[in-house]
Amino acid sequence: MSSHQINLIVNGVAHEVLVPANRTLAQLLREDLGLTGTKQGCGEGDCGSCTVLLDGEPVNSCLVLALQAHGHKVLTIEGLSQGRELHPIQQAFVEQGAVQCGFCTPGMILSAKALLDKTKRPSQEQIRKALSGNLCRCTGYQKIVEAVSEASRRLSRERS
Amino acid sequence: MLLPKFDYHQPRDVAEACRLLAELGPAARVIAGGTDLLVNLKHGRLRPKALVGLERLQELTGLETGRGRLFIGARNTAAHLAASRSLGGGLKFLAQAAGCLGSPQVRNRATIGGNLCTARPAADLPPALLCLGARLLLDGHQGSREVALSQFFQGPGLTTLAPAEVLRGVVVPRPGPGCGGGYIKLGLRRAMEISLVNVAAYLELAADGRRIAQAQVALGAVAPTPILSPRAAKALMGQTAGDKTFAAAAEAAAKDARPIDDHRGSAAYRREMVRVLTRRALQQAWEQARGGRGGKK
Amino acid sequence: MAAKYDVLGSRAPRLDAPDKATGRARFADDLNLPGQLYGALLQSPHAHALIKRIDASRAKRLKGVKAVLTGQDLPNILYGVSPARYDEEVLARDKVRHVGDDVAAVAAVDLETALEALSLIEVEYEPLPAVLSVEQALAEDAPIIHELFPNNLCAEVHQEFGDVAAAFAKCDLIRGGRMVNKMQDGAFLEPNACIAEFDQRGNLTLYSSTQSVHYVQRTVAMVLGLNMSQVRVVKPYVGGGFGPKAAATPLELNACFLAQRTGRPVKMGYTREQVFLFSRARHQFFHEMKIGVAKDGTMLALEHRCTLDGGAYSSFGIATVYYAGSLLGGPYKLPNMKYDGYRVFTNKPACGAQRGHGGVIARALFEQQLDLIARELGMDPIALRLKNIMQAGDVTCNDLNMSSLGMRECLEAVQGGSGWSGKRGRLSRGRGIGMASGFFVSGAGYPIYRSDTYHATVTVKVQEDGGGVKVLTGAAEIGQGSDTTMAMIAAETLGIPLSDVRVESGDTDLGIDLGAYSSRTTLMTGHATKEAAEDAREQILQALAEELGVVRGRLSVKRGRVKIAGKPVDIGPLRARYLKEHRGWTDQPTGKELSFREAARVAYLRRGTIVGTGKYKPPVLGGKYKGAAVGTSPAYGCSAQVAEVSVDLETGQVFVENITDAHDCGQAINRTSVEAQMEGSVSMGLGEALFEEVKFDANGRVLNPSLGEYHIPTIMDMPQMKCIVVESNEPNGPYGAKEVGEGAIMPTIPAILNAVYDATGAVIDELPLTPERVLAAIKKASQNKKGGRRKG
């Protein structure tokens, strides 16, 4: 099996790693870089728990080869908050009760981040569509939608 | 879930890709977005010795208009197509279909090339492309050829793509005013669904804005491949657009469907849904076509 | 008016939410131990087969393989959930009973090697005819799945309360119906995972994704032949359970055996497909009911029969078959009730407990029939229910005591909240509104094994510096929010802010707790937490009273400040002493009142570490009849829901547009968490109503073992929900609190069924409501009614 020298930026930090061809981005993040905030719920792109942002766009890291991330920027849940300070989306998830078991939460928050980076004040429908690849079995999604809405309000206030 | 072992090749251009594929033979598979292939690898349904990645092939990118045609590079992702302004007017239903594929995460990786070359009977993009008379540009070891999409699919997972060929892109004619398309996907959930039945319809209205000058209806998940419905097209051509014509076309489309029973649904239900969805897709297409001519409902 | 409580009833953010939102929270698969090996399981491809021979020699020779186990290598011992039905082997010795039954286990230096080793194990099977349905299982010459159960009958129940035959003779209207669902999957997002490690003295620590560290500890100890004290089970954060994670798994047991054999930590995990093959989720139920009422709508009698497809093992199934009958005892006054239940073995993955254990499909049919009865009597469905509901203090015919019951409040809340009166009977065809009620236990009255054990013991340890307390409990935070609930109860009881309370939970070293199932934690662990906090509080205040030379009765703590009743007391010396101890610190206590911190510090200085303990065991409850233990609970939660749907009359697609939900949870401990449980319950109910079904092929293989093809609701499928929290005061609950985690699912399926009926006139007796099934039912209903449409 071939191995590949790759360069990628994870949460703002440049990494140069040698990966076997069959390593997924999820494995690279979880096992090689110790970023276990990226969860593995199915391994086949059905649940969205392993969502990370690849150049700002949400992808299932279980279905991306690590070597395909060569030359790209990856944002994981660990890269969102600054030290102890939560990102406004995280803060909204905490305060609105959008977190239960927490297994879908990192992926959910990253999908929300990708949405809010592009759409400042999304409608309920836009929020639902943007999170439609992230399954949650605990919440019924209502508080998640409310949290993303609340986060968009906060981010708009912060910007103005 | 682990991936099996394989070598990975990253050719820099199409020529190198074709050469590599020719060298590696049938033990190699092409990978673009990987959303379908990697799942199959994890389940052991495919065991290629080598993957040939297309990520460096610039020839496969681009979404360009020229001489009444639109070239869609094979590496365009579903997300890109769904959001693309190039897919407006009579091409909007293709963007709509791209927006129904998988999930946002999958759409960010899945490519139009992959959606066609995996040849799934229920795939989202083929019906609209079939309606549009899409042609595929295939680059091979010994040169290039063009093939109609309607000739491309051979069966579930099977196409006429030769082992050492790469799909460079898809060419569709640019519809003029008076054209409209519709796409409807029927599944259990409102997201992340494999179609139980999907239908695309395309209409081109004559200058009078009533008579149907050109029409196609394409069906997914009701035959071993996505198919055009010649009977539906025939029922539409030259007729006055409207409920009665569409109902007749829907009946005709149901006759062309060859569904099977499986755990997702019965053949009878699928056939009936072809009827319902065809009518609705035609309605969508008609509304858009009339809108394009500045007509009012 | 001042709020009754300082902490309880608030919307305090969950303690674990910041860690979960930043990816810091560790789940089992996030843990790694130095030198760990990776385990993997070889599972049967056959639904029913004899094992003739296993040759693992090639696997054992593979480089990197450290252990290979087959059934012959393990003690010959059966385990399971109910001791009366131990019927599982850790690895099959002679026979496999479902596709996915475990046959061999491997530990190797990495997962790749472990999986390769599995492929080198040769198993010679002699396939037997597979039993894949209840009918096949009960047929005269059916193949036998367990020698101990020659009729393939795992359990049967026959109960009669009152005189059903006599009651039916007096009924003015008798209606009957049937309902069948499909086998479910828990579909929690986190696949089961664990790591087992032995120390040099032979003590075992198992980190596992479980709902009950206690039951796992007990089973592991029994199967491995260890004392329970030698086995510590630790639950990291768990990514949902909903029932199927409530008992020990072959995954856990094999990890323990492999760790014992190799002397190294062994990590194992199920793939998503293996989660489906292990299953232990909702059974398939075949219910038939006959309900009799008087012409004014008074319920008089129920005759009920249910057969459950249990799959290959008993699991929680004995409880399931009892619950399927007993949970119809309320929330309506039903004086006569007869139930015959049968749980049948088949060659499919074993079913067990899932949210709303045993009662969900029975409730669906019962509430559907009530709507049809209401229609025949010309009554509003809510009026019919209001006429029959129980009130606090009522006892059901099967001896369940409704010590509190806000059923009327729930019904009125959804009636008003949904705009029922303006919508019912006024929606156009294709749109419908429906409602249903439900109730559920607030903790099983008895443990799953016969014992006088406490159901929960809790320790509240006051930190020696006085700065806060720690709640130590074996309770399982699996996402429902129990850590936060216990912290809030402790804070309220001690009179301190929530921020001063930390919780350590889910560890058998911390106490006995039966775990997160039967909606027991708030009530049971809550009681023990309250008692432990009271104990700690008393010790602190007693010590403080001695120090200040006042009687204990004059002291109390509120919001972290010590209140001294009566004439002023000089706190100067005590404060001076504290300040002297903390020279240079920046957060010195100020003000005229002593802080809790000073009081707790003084208590430590006088008495050593202050540790409060609490315990809970339900009082003797319920009837004396056989099976009375199942359904008996110290309290019952209840709920009502209204669903609004639109149905595509041409495709049969059902879209749930709105849900109005009211639930009586007693005193809400955390209002946000109560709503969260309600909303989550609705989504699981909606999934079961519309989508969810584990499908099998003719050989007993699961056709859809993935979250792509086993459809749980996405965010696009969930409607806006209006959740109304109804708070009765439960005398048997801590601060009047009781359950919300499972009862809230009860009305969802029937409310949707009733709304679909309202929209289409179709009575549907099979779940899920796939478009195809709904369309067929609509057509049938139209044919039956020819021309006499209810709606235009």
Side-chain angles (χ1 to χ4, degrees):
Chain A
M1 183 172 51
S2 55
S3 283
H4 303 256
Q5 190 77 37
I6 61 167
N7 294 291
L8 73 170
I9 295 176
V10 180
N11 301 332
V13 178
H15 291 267
E16 189 177 329
V17 277
L18 186 68
V19 293
N22 69 351
R23 200 128 185 95
T24 63
L25 179 57
Q27 286 175 307
L28 172 77
L29 295 169
R30 287 179 55 80
E31 296 167 27
D32 301 337
L33 305 182
L35 298 170
T36 53
T38 301
K39 303 302 176 195
Q40 290 264 258
C42 69
E44 37 193 349
D46 291 329
C47 76
S49 302
C50 67
T51 300
V52 300
L53 302 190
L54 190 63
D55 295 334
E57 302 290 350
V59 297
N60 292 314
S61 61
C62 71
L63 293 187
V64 176
L65 294 175
L67 64 87
Q68 291 177 316
H70 171 67
H72 296 281
K73 281 188 192 155
V74 178
L75 182 74
T76 74
I77 191 68
E78 291 90 347
L80 200 56
S81 52
Q82 304 291 322
R84 277 195 58 202
E85 182 135 345
L86 298 181
H87 184 279
I89 302 175
Q90 293 169 320
Q91 191 67 39
F93 267 66
V94 169
E95 286 171 15
Q96 301 293 314
V99 177
Q100 287 192 37
C101 85
F103 203 78
C104 75
T105 308
M108 234 8 129
I109 288 175
L110 288 168
S111 284
K113 164 92 164 72
L115 168 72
L116 297 182
D117 283 347
K118 284 196 199 116
T119 312
K120 304 302 168 204
R121 295 299 297 270
S123 65
Q124 266 236 8
E125 204 45 42
Q126 285 173 310
I127 294 172
R128 287 184 187 269
K129 187 129 206 228
L131 302 187
S132 64
N134 294 83
L135 292 178
C136 170
R137 188 60 153 171
C138 295
T139 63
Y141 304 101
Q142 180 139 318
K143 294 192 188 301
I144 292 174
V145 174
E146 286 163 9
V148 178
S149 241
E150 172 59 22
S152 79
R153 284 191 288 276
R154 284 181 198 197
L155 285 162
S156 313
R157 276 201 303 274
E158 273 181 23
R159 282 188 202 100
S160 59
Chain B
M1 282 190 110
L2 296 181
L3 284 165
K5 294 185 169 118
F6 48 78
D7 287 324
Y8 194 91
H9 301 273
Q10 295 180 296
R12 272 154 300 183
D13 55 33
V14 170
E16 190 187 345
C18 294
R19 204 166 51 240
L20 263 170
L21 287 169
E23 273 170 35
L24 295 166
R29 303 283 305 203
V30 160
I31 177 169
T35 53
D36 188 83
L37 180 70
L38 293 181
V39 175
N40 283 322
L41 293 188
K42 285 182 176 187
H43 283 287
R45 292 191 279 253
L46 296 169
R47 306 222 71 149
K49 286 210 176 79
L51 297 186
V52 176
L54 303 183
E55 54 272 7
R56 295 185 185 176
L57 307 193
Q58 289 311 308
E59 301 101 313
L60 272 56
T61 61
L63 191 60
E64 295 146 22
T65 316
R67 279 178 295 163
R69 307 183 350 150
L70 176 74
F71 169 80
I72 308 171
R75 279 178 50 209
N76 275 287
T77 62
H80 189 67
L81 295 182
S84 171
R85 270 188 284 183
S86 304
L87 302 184
L91 292 177
K92 207 161 178 189
F93 73 136
L94 178 57
Q96 197 187 325
C100 294
L101 187 157
S103 66
Q105 291 91 322
V106 169
R107 291 197 284 276
N108 281 330
R109 298 294 295 170
T111 64
I112 183 171
N115 200 247
L116 297 177
C117 292
T118 51
R120 299 274 198 110
D124 279 292
L125 300 183
L129 289 168
L130 281 169
C131 283
L132 290 165
R135 298 186 68 78
L136 308 185
L137 306 180
L138 307 177
D139 289 335
H141 193 38
Q142 275 136 7
S144 302
R145 62 185 177 118
E146 212 178 293
V147 57
L149 181 60
S150 54
Q151 304 298 310
F152 184 63
F153 299 120
Q154 299 295 301
L158 300 173
T159 68
T160 57
L161 190 76
E165 273 183 328
V166 168
L167 169 64
R168 176 148 45 98
V170 183
V171 172
V172 292
R174 274 217 81 87
C179 296
Y183 178 69
I184 299 179
K185 169 177 186 168
L186 178 71
L188 222 45
R189 298 189 292 198
R190 292 200 228 195
M192 287 208 276
E193 262 305 333
I194 299 168
S195 300
L196 201 57
V197 178
N198 56 359
V199 175
Y202 180 76
L203 289 176
E204 190 181 324
L205 298 179
D208 64 1
R210 297 173 56 81
R211 205 174 52 78
I212 298 169
Q214 279 293 337
Q216 288 293 0
V217 169
L219 316 173
V222 290
T225 71
I227 54 168
L228 280 166
S229 168
R231 283 192 178 94
K234 198 166 158 230
L236 291 161
M237 291 282 277
Q239 303 297 312
T240 304
D243 294 347
K244 221 173 118 191
T245 304
F246 297 160
E251 287 301 326
K255 288 206 179 81
D256 277 339
R258 287 171 281 136
I260 53 162
D261 291 314
D262 68 12
H263 71 85
R264 296 183 191 95
S266 72
Y269 178 74
R270 284 191 161 111
R271 190 183 299 279
E272 188 171 353
M273 288 309 101
V274 167
R275 201 173 292 130
V276 174
L277 301 192
T278 299
R279 217 183 59 237
R280 292 181 182 180
L282 282 165
Q283 199 71 36
Q284 271 186 16
W286 188 34
E287 274 165 32
Q288 194 185 38
R290 283 189 299 179
R293 283 228 181 274
K296 278 184 191 157
K297 202 175 170 183
Chain C
M1 196 182 85
K4 194 168 165 197
Y5 298 118
D6 293 318
V7 181
L8 301 187
S10 74
R11 291 187 174 277
R14 292 169 57 126
L15 309 189
D16 53 359
D19 278 354
K20 287 177 172 175
T22 51
R24 282 171 194 275
R26 286 192 201 98
F27 295 79
D29 191 40
D30 302 336
L31 304 178
N32 292 292
L33 295 174
Q36 77 189 12
L37 300 172
Y38 293 79
L41 292 167
L42 183 69
Q43 299 180 311
S44 168
H46 301 285
H48 200 190
L50 296 175
I51 298 172
K52 304 307 283 182
R53 185 181 65 89
I54 304 181
D55 180 356
S57 54
R58 285 174 65 208
K60 285 177 183 165
R61 285 199 300 271
L62 183 70
K63 189 166 174 284
V65 170
K66 300 298 177 188
V68 180
L69 299 177
T70 66
Q72 302 301 330
D73 302 316
L74 301 179
N76 191 1
I77 188 166
L78 293 174
Y79 76 100
V81 174
S82 303
R85 292 290 190 289
Y86 282 167
D87 56 9
E88 297 187 54
E89 295 170 306
V90 175
L91 293 170
R93 295 169 77 87
D94 305 315
K95 190 176 177 181
V96 289
R97 295 181 174 86
H98 68 93
V99 173
D101 222 352
D102 302 292
V103 175
V106 170
V109 292
D110 55 38
L111 186 54
E112 234 162 359
T113 308
L115 294 173
E116 197 185 337
L118 294 185
S119 72
L120 298 176
I121 299 173
E122 288 168 35
V123 186
E124 192 189 312
Y125 294 101
E126 181 187 320
L128 298 170
V131 177
L132 296 173
S133 70
V134 161
E135 294 74 29
Q136 284 172 22
L138 296 176
E140 199 113 313
D141 51 352
I144 295 165
I145 297 171
H146 291 274
E147 296 306 324
L148 286 172
F149 303 94
N151 303 320
N152 290 329
L153 203 54
C154 167
E156 57 186 304
V157 182
H158 303 285
Q159 296 175 335
E160 182 167 354
F161 306 99
D163 185 340
V164 171
F168 272 119
K170 288 186 210 140
C171 291
D172 296 311
L173 173 62
I174 297 171
R175 253 210 74 93
R178 60 186 288 278
M179 182 70 67
V180 57
N181 70 323
K182 301 293 155 43
M183 187 174 144
Q184 304 286 303
D185 187 78
F188 34 79
L189 265 285
E190 180 212 18
N192 312 55
C194 64
I195 307 187
E197 181 183 36
F198 276 87
D199 70 14
Q200 286 302 115
R201 298 174 65 206
N203 297 311
L204 168 65
T205 303
L206 172 68
Y207 303 88
S208 184
S209 171
T210 181
Q211 292 175 232
S212 173
V213 289
H214 175 72
Y215 287 149
V216 173
Q217 177 197 33
R218 200 166 181 274
T219 305
V220 165
M222 182 186 87
V223 173
L224 271 82
L226 300 168
N227 290 325
M228 278 176 78
S229 330
Q230 291 173 282
V231 180
R232 177 182 174 206
V233 179
V234 183
K235 176 209 68 67
Y237 282 116
V238 169
F242 312 109
K245 288 181 182 170
T249 65
L251 190 78
E252 293 163 325
L253 292 162
N254 277 291
C256 294
F257 276 119
L258 288 168
Q260 192 176 45
R261 214 46 75 94
T262 60
R264 288 169 67 172
V266 175
K267 179 170 181 170
M268 292 183 88
Y270 280 148
T271 61
R272 180 52 65 181
E273 180 174 14
Q274 287 175 316
V275 171
F276 279 85
L277 297 182
F278 174 63
S279 179
R280 314 292 157 133
R282 178 109 58 236
H283 289 67
Q284 181 175 27
F285 298 83
F286 299 82
H287 286 283
E288 288 172 65
M289 286 181 201
K290 202 167 88 177
I291 302 170
V293 299
K295 56 176 172 285
D296 68 352
T298 304
M299 287 178 208
L300 296 175
L302 166 67
E303 193 176 302
H304 175 202
R305 183 188 164 89
C306 181
T307 309
L308 288 70
D309 183 343
Y313 299 105
S314 294
S315 181
F316 272 92
I318 311 301
T320 319
V321 68
Y322 277 107
Y323 271 130
S326 66
L327 288 177
L328 291 177
Y332 309 112
K333 291 177 193 150
L334 184 58
N336 305 286
M337 180 166 88
K338 182 172 187 296
Y339 173 58
D340 296 290
Y342 307 87
R343 185 179 189 271
V344 175
F345 285 120
T346 58
N347 290 120
K348 294 194 270 195
C351 298
Q354 189 173 333
R355 194 176 220 164
H357 192 182
V360 170
I361 306 305
R363 180 57 55 190
L365 174 56
F366 190 77
E367 296 284 329
Q368 179 194 51
Q369 294 302 313
L370 290 189
D371 256 40
L372 297 171
I373 286 169
R375 214 168 277 267
E376 281 194 40
L377 294 176
M379 282 179 85
D380 180 275
I382 295 184
L384 175 72
R385 285 166 174 90
L386 281 170
K387 181 166 185 60
N388 287 284
I389 51 170
M390 297 188 146
Q391 290 174 357
D394 285 345
V395 177
T396 68
C397 66
N398 53 343
D399 289 329
L400 315 184
N401 186 343
M402 303 295 123
S403 38
S404 67
L405 198 74
M407 200 58 246
R408 173 175 297 279
E409 291 80 354
C410 286
L411 282 165
E412 288 170 354
V414 297
Q415 188 172 33
S418 66
W420 174 266
S421 319
K423 291 173 183 165
R424 181 72 183 185
R426 295 178 193 199
L427 302 175
S428 58
R429 184 162 159 75
R431 299 187 66 85
I433 186 166
M435 61 80 52
S437 311
F439 91 124
F440 197 67
V441 301
S442 191
Y446 297 87
I448 199 74
Y449 59 95
R450 284 198 181 195
S451 169
D452 291 328
T453 180
Y454 289 102
H455 292 212
T457 63
V458 170
T459 302
V460 167
K461 177 180 175 290
V462 182
Q463 304 295 57
E464 287 80 355
D465 76 327
V469 305
K470 247 185 165 177
V471 178
L472 309 175
T473 164
E477 169 63 79
I478 59 168
Q480 82 282 40
S482 60
D483 279 0
T484 306
T485 298
M486 295 315 134
M488 291 175 77
I489 288 174
E492 185 69 46
T493 308
L494 286 157
I496 60 178
L498 184 57
S499 54
D500 287 351
V501 183
R502 288 163 65 188
V503 178
E504 296 274 344
S505 66
D507 182 337
T508 51
D509 274 3
L510 300 177
I512 292 288
D513 196 285
L514 300 187
Y517 74 102
S518 78
S519 290
R520 56 174 294 285
T521 308
T522 296
L523 189 143
M524 298 193 178
T525 313
H527 259 305
T529 300
K530 180 167 180 266
E531 189 178 293
E534 284 166 351
D535 183 15
R537 184 188 66 201
E538 285 317 296
Q539 293 180 51
I540 293 168
L541 293 183
Q542 189 57 46
L544 183 65
E546 289 161 16
E547 188 76 23
L548 294 173
V550 301
V551 295
R552 153 72 188 92
R554 290 180 61 193
L555 304 179
S556 62
V557 187
K558 196 166 172 62
R559 296 185 196 170
R561 313 299 297 181
V562 177
K563 308 287 175 192
I564 305 175
K567 64 175 195 285
V569 172
D570 180 14
I571 62 162
L574 206 150
R575 168 142 311 157
R577 196 168 149 209
Y578 185 92
L579 295 178
K580 204 182 261 178
E581 250 198 318
H582 293 85
R583 280 201 183 111
W585 293 55
T586 52
D587 60 342
Q588 301 285 27
T590 55
K592 287 189 184 133
E593 292 168 329
L594 282 173
S595 62
F596 174 81
R597 200 195 328 166
E598 290 163 284
R601 179 68 188 168
V602 162
Y604 160 72
L605 293 173
R606 283 185 76 88
R607 299 185 165 202
T609 301
I610 303 291
V611 173
T613 60
K615 61 195 180 309
Y616 180 79
K617 171 162 51 171
V620 175
L621 296 165
K624 300 276 178 260
Y625 57 92
K626 185 171 189 305
V630 184
T632 294
S633 172
Y636 297 88
C638 62
S639 50
Q641 279 171 34
V642 170
E644 290 170 63
V645 303
S646 63
V647 181
D648 187 322
L649 298 169
E650 288 184 322
T651 64
Q653 286 169 290
V654 174
F655 303 106
V656 179
E657 309 287 1
N658 266 306
I659 294 274
T660 309
D661 183 4
H663 187 95
D664 169 21
C665 63
Q667 164 71 45
I669 302 293
N670 184 311
R671 209 160 287 277
T672 306
S673 289
V674 171
E675 291 169 358
Q677 285 301 305
M678 292 167 71
E679 290 161 4
S681 289
V682 168
S683 82
M684 191 171 276
L686 185 144
E688 291 197 43
L690 300 188
F691 310 135
E692 296 182 35
E693 170 176 9
V694 178
K695 299 172 185 176
F696 293 88
D697 72 6
N699 298 311
R701 280 187 290 254
V702 178
L703 282 164
N704 57 339
S706 74
L707 294 176
E709 295 244 32
Y710 180 89
H711 301 83
I712 66 171
T714 72
I715 197 166
M716 303 284 281
D717 302 299
M718 285 308 297
Q720 190 66 33
M721 291 171 268
K722 183 192 252 185
C723 290
I724 303 163
V725 179
V726 169
E727 292 176 280
S728 63
N729 184 13
E730 170 53 51
N732 297 327
Y735 293 105
K738 57 183 178 178
E739 75 87 35
V740 58
E742 298 183 74
I745 197 177
M746 288 293 171
T748 309
I749 298 173
I752 292 171
L753 281 168
N754 291 339
V756 169
Y757 176 71
D758 187 48
T760 65
V763 179
I764 303 176
D765 58 10
E766 185 174 354
L767 298 169
L769 299 177
T770 59
E772 181 166 359
R773 188 167 289 131
V774 173
L775 189 63
I778 292 171
K779 284 183 182 167
K780 201 173 139 204
S782 312
Q783 279 162 7
N784 290 348
K785 286 208 171 181
K786 265 185 208 139
R789 284 251 57 92
R790 203 169 39 77
K791 280 183 178 177

